[in-house]
Amino acid sequence: MIGETREKEIYEVLQEARRSLDEDGKLLAKVYNEPSIFDLEVKRIFSKTWVFLAHESEIPWSGDYVLRRIIDDSFIVTRDEDGEIHVLFNMCRHRGMQLCRSDAGNSSHFRCPYHGYTYQNTGKLNGVPFQKEAYGPEGLDKDEWAMTPAPRMSIYEGMIFASLNPDVPPLEEYIGDMGWYLDFYLKKSPAGLEVVGAPQRWIMPADWKLASENFIGDGYHTQSTHMSTIKAGIMRVKSPAYLKEGVQITAGKHGCLFMGFKPGSYFNYPQGIVDSMLENLNEDQVELLKEESIMPLNATVFPNLSFLHSAMAIEAEGELATSVPYLTIRVWQPMGPGKMEVWSWCLVEKDASEEFKRNSNRAYLSTFGASGTLEQDDAENWSGQTRVAGGEMSGQHYLNYSAGTKHVEPIPDGEWPGPGTAYPKNYVDFAQRHFWQTYFDHLLNGQNGS
Amino acid sequence: MMLETSVETYWEVYSFLMHEAELLDERRERDWLDLFTDDAEYLMPVRVNRERGEGDGFSEEAFYFEETRGSLELRVRRLETEYAWAEDPPSRTRHFVTNVRVAESEEEDEVAVRTNLLLYRSRGSDPKHDLISAERKDTLRKEDGQWKLRKRVILLDHSVLTTHNLSVFL
């Protein structure tokens, strides 16, 4: 009974939070960090939607595997002897021991330490010790006792996703209109992308939603949070005033922020990548690059996958004191209310020069990732927001999410070449509100990930 | 490991390392930077949890730090602005440097140094603290009679970092 009462209370709080966001542009601070809401997030978001696990280039060869999680569920992402990719629940079918305990490697088989059940990297059960003695002369039905695959698995432009929800709509449909925007990150070269080594991983006492929300469209924080990097000559802009123009996008459950670059500079990507980008992207996308000189900077694919294109100086002097471009993606993996593990990768075009790959990775890790001069300060903010939201006052403390509502209208149909809704400003809250509305839809309606 | 250098050199290196740790704990990053040679490298590779037979798991491509003197300069310059929120108020750190092993190098004027590092980090009024444990492999070079840090490789004992950011040096 106590549980039911509590659940009813949570729904009432969430309903009121949703109403105040929709009608007044105010968000109840409590939703940043509340244990009982976290339980709902696990059941109604992370168990329902698609979740990004790995990039194909992390397991390029047959037998390669990496270990990944959806909340507390461990999966082995394997490439079998035929090159096919599998996402297998990392739990032996016999007594439920964790089969694979290494985070990456190459193996054709996984052998359970407990009683020795052995599976192929396709998931097929291959060997059972003393099978006849244990299960009789017929042995076990090996098809029945294969490893359990993730209920759904799908690959989008080299990005491997899985879902715990067998009824989740197809990944293509889930990404939907956002695909048009992800092209700028993923299709700059027909050769595709590759990761630069293993992901950075670190624990942050911050709620995953704060990072997802920041990456979906928060261009406003840069002039304050990241001022140190402007002053130090890392972010190569003369003043923060330069940052105020942009275009915010909402598309499906997702969103992004376009930012400008000096006409013809294309974020300082090397000529080879600029050429292939202009060739590989469609006419409308190229028009934005050529005529408007804008490109998506940051993006979030709901719930917890984010992208960032940027260009920053690596060195204080010399050739690398100019902006060097990079692409990073990250997963904000919840570990409980107000706590996450961050997974951060740098990706580069496969056909880029080795020199560019190295410089691009250095520009990334100088500025983003655990040691990044920009992300250090993001971590400080997200941790601080989470800390103060953990008390009781946050249950009656409302936050301002109204930027743009009084004076900014969407760009009219026909004037913006991409799908979704585009807002012609940077310092607005449309994408962030969209993130929270999507979030409330899941929690309140138990949406089926559609 | 046996002492593979003279007592005098060992003592100089040891003093250098203690001085260096003191500069970091006193947040004198600019003075710390002066300990590096112009061609310095400062590396901290990502470490992956691998099977015993697969080596120690250090990535050859992915790093938390892949720095030169010029990029460390930018990091220090940032800390010197009024806007480096991650370190203002600053972390309270203590660099515990132990197990100092010094060996002669093939290069004249250089020594190879291995140390164990335990970094204690406390922030705000949080009763919890962060600990980072690592081995450091340094190359020290004597320039104009002074030891300088030519190269440092920080080999973490973590596959997942248990601190919210790396706004401090190791």
Side-chain angles (χ1 to χ4, degrees):
Chain A
M1 273 311 284
I2 292 169
E4 274 175 37
T5 311
R6 182 73 185 131
E7 195 159 303
K8 190 159 166 278
E9 274 173 26
I10 296 162
Y11 276 100
E12 280 167 9
V13 168
L14 287 171
Q15 264 160 353
E16 171 54 20
R18 161 106 213 203
R19 189 207 59 76
S20 88
L21 181 68
D22 288 350
E23 293 174 17
D24 310 327
K26 294 177 181 174
L27 182 69
L28 183 67
K30 192 78 193 162
V31 298
Y32 280 180
N33 182 5
E34 164 58 37
S36 52
I37 295 178
F38 180 76
D39 295 341
L40 274 181
E41 291 173 4
V42 173
K43 292 203 165 42
R44 301 208 156 179
I45 298 175
F46 290 94
S47 305
K48 295 291 183 188
T49 64
W50 286 100
V51 175
F52 173 74
L53 294 184
H55 191 265
E56 271 186 346
S57 65
E58 293 183 83
I59 46 170
W61 308 108
S62 285
D64 285 350
Y65 68 87
V66 289
L67 218 56
R68 294 294 145 88
R69 300 198 310 273
I70 299 179
I71 311 284
D72 291 325
D73 289 312
S74 173
F75 291 95
I76 319 174
V77 184
T78 68
R79 189 184 288 272
D80 71 21
E81 306 313 298
D82 299 322
E84 291 294 312
I85 289 173
H86 305 264
V87 178
L88 304 166
F89 183 42
N90 189 15
M91 189 180 202
C92 183
R93 292 297 307 279
H94 179 230
R95 283 295 184 277
M97 170 58 185
Q98 182 177 347
L99 274 170
C100 176
R101 294 163 302 129
S102 146
D103 286 347
N106 185 289
S107 181
S108 58
H109 290 79
F110 299 99
R111 183 175 189 270
C112 182
Y114 200 172
H115 302 86
Y117 274 39
T118 302
Y119 304 85
Q120 284 180 22
N121 57 8
T122 56
K124 185 171 176 261
L125 178 62
N126 227 30
V128 176
F130 301 101
Q131 196 173 171
K132 285 182 184 149
E133 287 83 345
Y135 302 103
E138 308 265 300
L140 274 187
D141 179 347
K142 292 204 178 139
D143 290 333
E144 188 186 347
W145 295 104
M147 288 173 76
T148 306
R152 293 285 293 281
M153 186 279 273
S154 189
I155 302 174
Y156 183 88
E157 296 293 333
M159 303 185 73
I160 305 164
F161 290 73
S163 179
L164 302 185
N165 175 11
D167 301 320
V168 72
L171 180 60
E172 287 277 341
E173 195 181 301
Y174 182 79
I175 289 177
D177 285 348
M178 190 63 192
W180 196 89
Y181 298 99
L182 296 185
D183 286 351
F184 289 89
Y185 300 105
L186 304 175
K187 289 189 179 173
K188 289 196 292 297
S189 157
L193 295 161
E194 64 186 19
V195 295
V196 183
Q200 289 190 7
R201 297 169 61 183
W202 72 104
I203 309 289
M204 207 187 277
D207 197 88
W208 67 275
K209 302 187 288 293
L210 299 169
S212 278
E213 169 203 88
N214 176 282
F215 269 68
I216 202 172
D218 195 323
Y220 187 33
H221 78 296
T222 306
Q223 42 80 32
S224 175
T225 296
H226 302 309
M227 181 59 114
S228 72
T229 61
I230 298 175
K231 295 280 183 194
I234 297 166
M235 188 189 302
R236 307 290 290 176
V237 296
K238 285 196 184 74
S239 90
Y242 170 87
L243 303 165
K244 67 181 190 236
E245 301 306 326
V247 178
Q248 231 190 29
I249 303 292
T250 61
K253 292 171 191 256
H254 326 293
C256 68
L257 176 69
F258 276 81
M259 289 288 287
F261 51 82
K262 201 171 128 213
S265 71
Y266 303 103
F267 268 44
N268 279 5
Y269 269 102
Q271 195 58 45
I273 296 177
V274 171
D275 292 344
S276 69
M277 163 163 59
L278 297 176
E279 173 98 26
N280 212 34
L281 294 174
N282 74 34
E283 207 175 298
D284 291 333
Q285 291 164 330
V286 168
E287 186 191 315
L288 287 181
L289 290 169
K290 278 189 156 171
E291 307 301 325
E292 307 294 331
S293 300
I294 56 173
M295 178 142 96
L297 193 86
N298 44 287
T300 291
V301 169
F302 191 82
N304 67 333
L305 167 67
S306 292
F307 293 74
L308 177 76
H309 253 156
S310 195
M312 299 276 173
I314 304 171
E315 307 256 352
E317 285 171 19
E319 274 177 34
L320 298 177
T322 54
S323 298
V324 177
Y326 58 86
L327 166 62
T328 170
I329 61 171
R330 62 254 332 278
V331 166
W332 318 107
Q333 184 161 59
M335 295 183 75
K339 188 175 179 186
M340 66 174 157
E341 177 178 342
V342 186
W343 296 66
S344 176
W345 296 257
C346 179
L347 291 124
V348 284
E349 280 64 32
K350 276 183 186 164
D351 53 350
S353 71
E354 288 309 311
E355 186 192 5
F356 176 71
K357 286 177 185 176
R358 174 155 191 265
N359 288 339
S360 188
N361 186 50
R362 283 193 66 206
Y364 145 74
L365 65 86
S366 297
T367 50
F368 278 84
S371 75
T373 48
L374 282 90
E375 193 146 3
Q376 286 173 23
D377 292 326
D378 288 322
E380 186 72 12
N381 290 339
W382 302 336
S383 307
Q385 288 170 284
T386 301
R387 191 183 313 122
V388 290
E392 286 302 306
M393 271 304 289
S394 64
Q396 48 184 305
H397 187 75
Y398 286 85
L399 306 168
N400 188 328
Y401 276 73
S402 72
T405 47
K406 292 208 176 108
H407 65 299
V408 178
E409 294 291 328
I411 301 176
D413 284 346
E415 290 179 27
W416 175 258
T421 309
Y423 300 89
K425 288 285 174 195
N426 182 354
Y427 294 172
V428 292
D429 285 332
F430 295 102
Q432 294 94 314
R433 270 210 308 280
H434 185 68
F435 170 81
W436 286 102
Q437 282 158 349
T438 307
Y439 171 83
F440 287 130
D441 282 346
H442 273 269
L443 294 197
L444 290 168
N445 308 331
Q447 274 195 5
N448 196 26
S450 54
Chain B
M1 189 181 184
M2 299 291 288
L3 183 66
E4 294 179 20
T5 188
S6 68
V7 170
E8 187 186 9
T9 300
Y10 186 91
W11 187 248
E12 285 177 12
V13 167
Y14 187 82
S15 301
F16 176 90
L17 293 169
M18 296 302 108
H19 176 60
E20 189 219 344
E22 183 176 304
L23 293 179
L24 287 174
D25 290 337
E26 292 179 354
R27 300 188 305 280
R28 291 161 60 192
E29 291 92 357
R30 176 63 55 190
D31 294 336
W32 176 74
L33 196 57
D34 286 339
L35 300 181
F36 285 85
T37 63
D38 288 342
D39 60 347
E41 296 169 83
Y42 181 86
L43 307 171
M44 183 161 124
V46 167
R47 187 170 196 176
V48 182
N49 166 43
R50 301 289 300 263
E51 286 184 321
R52 184 182 281 261
E54 299 295 319
D56 49 21
F58 290 108
S59 175
E60 289 174 6
E61 294 174 289
F63 295 87
Y64 292 100
F65 287 111
E66 188 183 0
E67 308 298 312
T68 60
R69 174 83 189 246
S71 65
L72 286 173
E73 164 68 31
L74 281 185
R75 289 180 182 275
V76 170
R77 213 182 267 179
R78 163 190 134 71
L79 289 170
E80 290 170 343
T81 71
E82 300 165 57
Y83 309 97
W85 317 113
E87 283 303 319
D88 195 4
S91 303
R92 293 169 293 272
T93 66
R94 198 60 56 194
H95 289 72
F96 295 91
V97 179
T98 69
N99 304 55
V100 178
R101 289 147 288 173
V102 182
E104 298 292 337
S105 153
E106 285 177 14
E107 299 291 322
E108 210 182 331
D109 299 331
E110 288 190 358
V111 287
V113 183
R114 291 162 67 197
T115 55
N116 292 0
L117 173 74
L118 188 65
L119 172 61
Y120 169 94
R121 181 185 188 195
S122 162
R123 275 187 65 67
S125 298
D126 189 344
K128 294 191 294 293
H129 56 260
D130 299 338
L131 287 178
I132 301 176
S133 172
E135 181 183 34
R136 300 186 306 187
K137 288 186 175 172
D138 296 343
T139 303
L140 266 56
R141 183 195 290 154
K142 205 166 223 180
E143 287 184 351
D144 303 325
Q146 300 287 318
W147 286 109
K148 296 262 182 176
L149 202 41
R150 154 73 187 89
K151 184 174 184 181
R152 168 163 293 166
V153 184
I154 302 150
L155 299 167
L156 288 166
D157 297 317
H158 308 253
S159 61
V160 181
L161 279 174
T162 53
T163 192
H164 66 294
N165 62 15
L166 286 169
S167 52
V168 294
F169 297 107
L170 295 93

